[in-house]
Amino acid sequence: MPLSFRNLLIGRPIASDRAQHERLNNVQALAIFASDAISSTAYATQEILLALSVAGAAALHLSVPIGLAIVALLAIVTVSYQQTLFAYPTGGGAYIVARENLNPFYAQVAGAALLTDYILTVAVSVSAGVAAITSAFPHLFPYTVWLCLGSVTLLMLGNLRGLRESGNIFAAPTYFFVGMAFLMLGIGAFQVFVQHRPPRPPQEVSEAVQALGPFLLLRAFASGCAALTGIEAISNGVMAFRAPESRNASKTMIRMSVILSVVFLGITWLSNYFGVTYHGHGQETVPSQLASLLVGRGTVYLMFQFATMFILVLAANTPFAGFPPLAALQASDGYLPRQLSNLGERLVFNNGILLLAFFACILIVVFGGNTDRLIPLYAVGVFLSFTVSQYGMVVRWRRLKTPGWRFKALLNGLGAVTTGLVCVVVGVTKFAHGAWLIALVIPALVWLFFGIRKHYTYVAKQLRLTEFPTIQDESLSKVLVLVPRINKGTMPALRFARSLSHSAVGFHIDTGRNAQSEALMREEWERMAPHIPLIIVHSPYREVVAPILEYIDVMQEVGGSGPVTVVLPEFVPSGFVKKLLHNQTGLMIKWSLLSRRNVVLCNVRYHLE
């Protein structure tokens, strides 16, 4: 197969029987599925500090206990999801669990929540990654949106190349960040415990504008819960792992949770110890400030910043591994357009990848690549899906009553109650800051899903055969050949029309541009096709489509209920740009005939050299 530009961009097609060989080993899987969760350590701490800063410097020390509470929540979610991984070895995301154990409504709520969160994850991760670079190079800040859009495009192209290849591409940056993060934490611990570097009070904190109360603490906790987004991606993508799928997925989730907990708590504790603060979008990020305090602004600092940028940008790769399979599953069930269930040449769901990139780019443009404006929209969907999934598992254990089902139901029940409460906390505390939008979007998506399902059900009912009539050979007697002009492109159309019926009729519209055009047309027609009648209709107002539709109506009235076959000749120039210069009238005719009953349109093309 010759190497085309498309092959160069996304790779050569992969045969279906190679699907098993495209699965991921644990090293690749951790890079693809864990990059989202691990990368959240780059902004989760600073969102906690941003929420607490309105209560003044005295409130910032609460970031550590809030961080501990978030890690405890992470442990509960991880333990409860371990059961889902082994119960559903073919993939046990919230959608599948809800569909099999609850009802279609819960399944579509979970699907809408996850799809929304995947789109937000791409926008947030890419925006945070670009923020890491603009912290190191402030002169790039005006180009934030363009840098974000370019990053999404690169991620899209990487995933169009296939799951295993994207794992190879993204593995090095993921492990580079993990290595740099542990290096920075090690340097910080060495300076605190060995060199006994003294703590530093918070710098540049404005006076308190809000009293420290339960609501403020809950809002800070809700902001930090962004660290848990991405946890569910492994359960959605179990079948992407090599056998034994469930065991490898379980190991990957545990490793991801451990790395996430250590890095998140380490950054939170060191930020509190050294008095790091955060003032919002456009300011230096918390990891950048911390690295600058620990190692200065030299080579190690720049390595850490680039590693942070890479992991944040590539964290958007996790949704590219989760969104397309979920959308394909919903499409197979009839709740999304069928095209989303089609596998592409590289054994990935191309349409889902393109759709995810499109909506993420829209969010980035609308919110200006501002992480602080995007994060309030974040986490509501993922905690809603957590709750639905764990509740579905409780129902499953109670129904099956397998050995040890009570203990398993207790674990999943604890997960459901915990994540449900967190979902409420996140929704309430972030409602005025943007979560209201998600509260509208998720119900709207569920309504849309059921609307699509209703349409597919209606179409299936209309097409279903209730009896099997005998098909008889019938000659097509009503064939209309549209003749815009007589040239080489007309001849193939006339030959095709005569092969359908000996009663074919030519049809030409005279718009009155040339007084001699009708006479010339009839003269040329007599020389070329004297055996085919030619009808010329005058159009004083230069309309083209309306006279064609009117004549088809006449043919249907006179000729009975049989179909009218319309033959449309078209010449095809070489090259995409040249095609834009021709055949626009043909497009209007095709569009007008699309909804006409008992009309068959045949497009006969003549290709130019």
Side-chain angles (χ1 to χ4, degrees):
M1 180 184 295
L3 184 65
S4 64
F5 176 73
R6 176 185 173 85
N7 295 150
L8 186 65
L9 199 62
I10 65 173
R12 295 181 184 274
I14 301 174
S16 299
D17 58 8
R18 294 286 302 171
Q20 289 286 341
H21 301 281
E22 293 299 306
R23 292 195 177 189
L24 306 172
N25 59 40
N26 288 0
V27 173
Q28 295 169 323
L30 186 64
I32 286 184
F33 289 110
S35 56
D36 177 17
I38 294 173
S39 70
S40 63
T41 58
Y43 54 80
T45 298
Q46 71 186 26
E47 293 302 318
I48 296 173
L49 295 177
L50 182 62
L52 292 173
S53 64
V54 298
L60 296 182
H61 73 280
L62 294 172
S63 60
V64 174
I66 289 174
L68 288 170
I70 291 172
V71 169
L73 175 62
L74 171 62
I76 292 173
V77 172
T78 301
V79 171
S80 59
Y81 257 96
Q82 292 293 305
Q83 316 224 64
T84 307
L85 294 176
F86 286 98
Y88 289 92
T90 58
Y95 180 81
I96 295 178
V97 174
R99 186 187 65 182
E100 293 192 3
N101 300 292
L102 301 174
N103 57 50
F105 175 77
Y106 281 101
Q108 299 318 309
V109 168
L114 280 174
L115 293 179
T116 303
D117 198 72
Y118 282 139
I119 295 170
L120 283 166
T121 297
V122 175
V124 169
S125 297
V126 168
S127 299
V130 171
I133 288 303
T134 56
S135 291
F137 304 99
H139 61 278
L140 293 176
F141 182 74
Y143 307 100
T144 294
V145 172
W146 289 108
L147 290 171
C148 289
L149 295 179
S151 300
V152 173
T153 302
L154 290 175
L155 284 168
M156 178 189 72
L157 293 175
N159 280 276
L160 287 173
R161 295 187 67 89
L163 194 61
R164 187 179 66 164
E165 191 158 339
S166 68
N168 293 331
I169 294 171
F170 301 144
T174 300
Y175 289 108
F176 178 46
F177 171 78
V178 172
M180 290 302 301
F182 277 111
L183 175 63
M184 298 305 296
L185 295 181
I187 291 173
F190 179 79
Q191 292 182 6
V192 172
F193 296 111
V194 178
Q195 296 182 335
H196 303 290
R197 183 174 175 176
R200 196 179 71 150
Q203 303 296 306
E204 301 178 5
V205 178
S206 58
E207 293 185 4
V209 295
Q210 182 177 334
L212 180 64
F215 187 81
L216 182 60
L217 286 173
L218 289 174
R219 192 167 73 190
F221 173 78
S223 298
C225 282
L228 270 72
T229 55
I231 298 293
E232 79 293 337
I234 291 178
S235 65
N236 287 328
V238 175
M239 286 305 294
F241 288 81
R242 291 180 181 173
E245 293 85 353
S246 295
R247 182 177 300 173
N248 287 327
S250 174
K251 290 179 180 178
T252 302
M253 178 173 278
I254 292 172
R255 289 165 184 162
M256 173 184 67
S257 299
V258 170
I259 294 172
L260 171 59
S261 300
V262 172
V263 176
F264 170 62
L265 276 181
I267 291 176
T268 303
W269 176 71
L270 286 175
S271 299
N272 178 72
Y273 187 86
F274 289 114
V276 174
T277 59
Y278 180 64
H279 305 289
H281 183 63
Q283 304 299 312
E284 187 176 5
T285 63
V286 165
S288 174
Q289 294 180 59
L290 190 59
S292 179
L293 285 169
L294 293 174
V295 297
R297 292 257 172 176
T299 303
V300 177
Y301 166 81
L302 290 177
M303 289 174 63
F304 179 69
Q305 286 302 101
F306 276 108
T308 305
M309 182 205 71
F310 287 139
I311 187 66
L312 282 166
V313 171
L314 298 184
N317 189 58
T318 299
F320 278 103
F323 181 102
L326 175 59
L329 191 59
Q330 289 185 264
S332 299
D333 291 340
Y335 292 97
L336 279 175
R338 300 287 192 194
Q339 298 91 321
L340 291 171
S341 63
N342 297 335
L343 271 176
E345 294 177 348
R346 299 285 296 178
L347 297 179
V348 291
F349 298 103
N350 288 7
N351 293 330
I353 291 172
L354 295 172
L355 191 67
L356 173 60
F358 173 74
F359 282 118
C361 287
I362 288 179
L363 276 179
I364 287 169
V365 171
V366 169
F367 289 91
N370 186 334
T371 308
D372 298 326
R373 292 175 62 196
L374 285 165
I375 281 184
L377 310 178
Y378 208 28
V380 176
V382 72
F383 278 102
L384 179 58
S385 67
F386 282 164
T387 305
V388 172
S389 175
Q390 298 311 300
Y391 173 56
M393 289 300 296
V394 172
V395 173
R396 172 189 170 87
W397 298 132
R398 292 184 62 185
R399 186 182 77 250
L400 297 180
K401 289 184 170 54
T402 54
W405 69 271
R406 287 186 175 84
F407 178 71
K408 295 176 181 179
L410 179 64
L411 287 178
N412 286 124
L414 176 63
V417 171
T418 306
T419 55
L421 289 173
V422 173
C423 183
V424 173
V425 169
V426 172
V428 172
T429 58
K430 292 186 176 184
F431 188 82
H433 295 81
W436 62 268
L437 182 60
I438 302 303
L440 293 177
V441 168
I442 291 177
L445 283 177
V446 173
W447 175 82
L448 176 64
F449 294 160
F450 279 98
I452 293 172
R453 172 70 174 179
K454 183 178 179 181
H455 168 75
Y456 280 134
T457 302
Y458 171 77
V459 170
K461 183 178 179 181
Q462 292 286 309
L463 295 176
R464 188 177 298 117
L465 282 172
T466 56
E467 56 183 19
F468 296 88
T470 303
I471 298 177
Q472 299 176 352
D473 293 331
E474 295 182 3
S475 175
L476 291 172
S477 58
K478 293 179 291 184
V479 179
L480 186 66
V481 187
L482 304 182
V483 186
R485 60 188 61 84
I486 296 176
N487 52 37
K488 288 184 178 180
T490 312
M491 294 301 297
L494 290 173
R495 293 193 189 99
F496 177 73
R498 287 285 288 179
S499 71
L500 295 177
S501 173
H502 292 290
S503 301
V505 177
F507 188 83
H508 174 73
I509 299 174
D510 183 8
T511 57
R513 294 181 180 178
N514 186 347
Q516 307 297 324
S517 61
E518 180 178 350
L520 182 61
M521 169 70 74
R522 291 195 180 278
E523 180 183 342
E524 291 179 343
W525 187 268
E526 285 298 320
R527 283 187 291 173
M528 181 183 67
H531 49 288
I532 300 178
L534 174 65
I535 295 171
I536 298 180
V537 174
H538 296 277
S539 180
Y541 298 104
R542 298 159 303 283
E543 290 182 307
V544 176
V545 176
I548 295 173
L549 298 179
E550 290 172 4
Y551 192 77
I552 290 173
D553 289 338
V554 172
M555 293 181 71
Q556 290 179 325
E557 289 177 7
V558 174
S561 60
V564 174
T565 302
V566 178
V567 179
L568 176 62
E570 263 185 0
F571 64 89
V572 182
S574 59
F576 174 76
V577 177
K578 295 176 183 177
K579 291 176 184 176
L580 296 177
L581 303 176
H582 303 280
N583 298 328
Q584 306 312 311
T585 303
L587 287 175
M588 289 192 298
I589 293 171
K590 294 175 189 176
W591 184 256
S592 302
L593 295 177
L594 186 64
S595 59
R596 300 282 295 198
R597 291 178 180 270
N598 287 330
V599 174
V600 179
L601 178 64
C602 298
N603 202 190
V604 181
R605 296 179 177 86
Y606 179 78
H607 291 267
L608 303 180
E609 297 295 335

